[in-house]
Amino acid sequence: MRMASWRWGGAVHAGTLSACGRELTPLAVPQPERGVLRLIQMLARGEPLPREAGPRLPLSAVELVAPLPRPLRSLFCVGRNYRAHAAELAGTVFRESLPKEDAWPIVFTKFADCVVGPFDDVRMPARQASVQIDYESELAVVIGRGGIDIPRSRAMDHVCGYTVVNDVSARDVQVRHQQWDLGKSFDTFCPMGPWIVTADELDGRDTRVRGWVNGELRQDGRTKDMIFDIPTLIETCSRGITLHPGDVIATGTPAGVGMGFTPPRWLKAGDVVKVEIDGLGAIENRFAA
Ligand code: MG
């Protein structure tokens, strides 16, 4: 099932996308302005899909918004989770904090408020705020049934599904403050979508993640090459912290970010970044002045 959220007729609706990918069915979900959040919570409680709430619409007639336009709370994000990406940062200011083979994952958060839709503009910050804007193509895990201290062996039972995010990053701000949250959370810095594919239709543990800048393929990785796999990330994030239905874990980015080039290739106003995940779909965002 693909769970989507869209704007139509002056309101935000939540529902499902048909198997053919062309038709949206609005469902009677409370607070549709929260996207499919309440739907995820209902399914996590074992409730059936709610009734249809209006006419079906062609996908082409609506504006998709993020499936979770305002997530429950900050997103959990994983830093440097692909070996080739860790290697490309070995020559940068981040070399000091590269994870060891058997170390713990790097986990930071990205404010919920910076989520924007799958085709919305990302706003370039003022130059005094940052001059090193970068992209990160990522698979995001959406938690279904909640829990605390979830063991790896049962972690996949807690996955509702997956979505695509671009973990847009202000590198100079990340470095300046040591903690990454500020540099990861500028307004509009988390394009998400185009929908959530449920875990019965996609195994996020092995799919292809690609990213393009202005049509040039920059990132091309497989999630099976993660240093810390999805069950380990769920185990890690739930250690002492209750995960709730609708929580999001962005799983890290493959090699090919702008910072990894010599010299670095920072984004500039007018650039268009596309992120696509096999079995899921693509998001595409213009970086606007
Ligand atoms: Mg990232």
Side-chain angles (χ1 to χ4, degrees), residues 89 92-94 123-136 167-177 182-186 189 257-261 263-269 271 287:
L89 297 180
T92 74
V93 291
F94 286 115
R123 225 167 41 246
M124 293 294 275
R127 287 190 63 81
Q128 65 268 26
S130 172
V131 292
Q132 297 184 355
I133 305 304
D134 209 347
Y135 51 88
E136 295 190 351
D167 177 19
V168 183
S169 307
R171 301 297 187 199
D172 40 3
V173 178
Q174 264 185 274
V175 173
R176 186 187 304 153
H177 301 289
L182 291 182
K184 292 284 191 171
S185 299
F186 281 18
F189 268 26
V257 299
M259 184 179 213
F261 289 89
R265 299 172 74 178
W266 308 123
L267 292 172
K268 55 189 188 310
D271 284 346
F287 284 66

Side-chain angles (χ1 to χ4, degrees), residues 58-79:
L59 179 62
S60 56
V62 308
E63 177 198 348
L64 284 175
V65 300
L68 295 167
R70 192 156 54 84
L72 203 56
R73 54 179 168 181
S74 297
L75 288 74
F76 296 82
C77 301
V78 180

Side-chain angles (χ1 to χ4, degrees), residues 152-171:
R152 285 176 44 88
S153 58
R154 290 208 296 275
M156 296 307 289
D157 299 341
H158 293 263
V159 176
C160 165
Y162 304 94
T163 193
V164 182
V165 299
N166 183 347
D167 177 19
V168 183
S169 307
R171 301 297 187 199

Side-chain angles (χ1 to χ4, degrees), residues 101-124:
E101 252 338 272
D102 55 352
W104 298 92
I106 296 171
V107 183
F108 59 95
T109 61
K110 200 167 174 81
F111 298 169
D113 313 62
C114 64
V115 171
V116 294
F119 306 104
D120 287 351
D121 283 356
V122 172
R123 225 167 41 246
M124 293 294 275

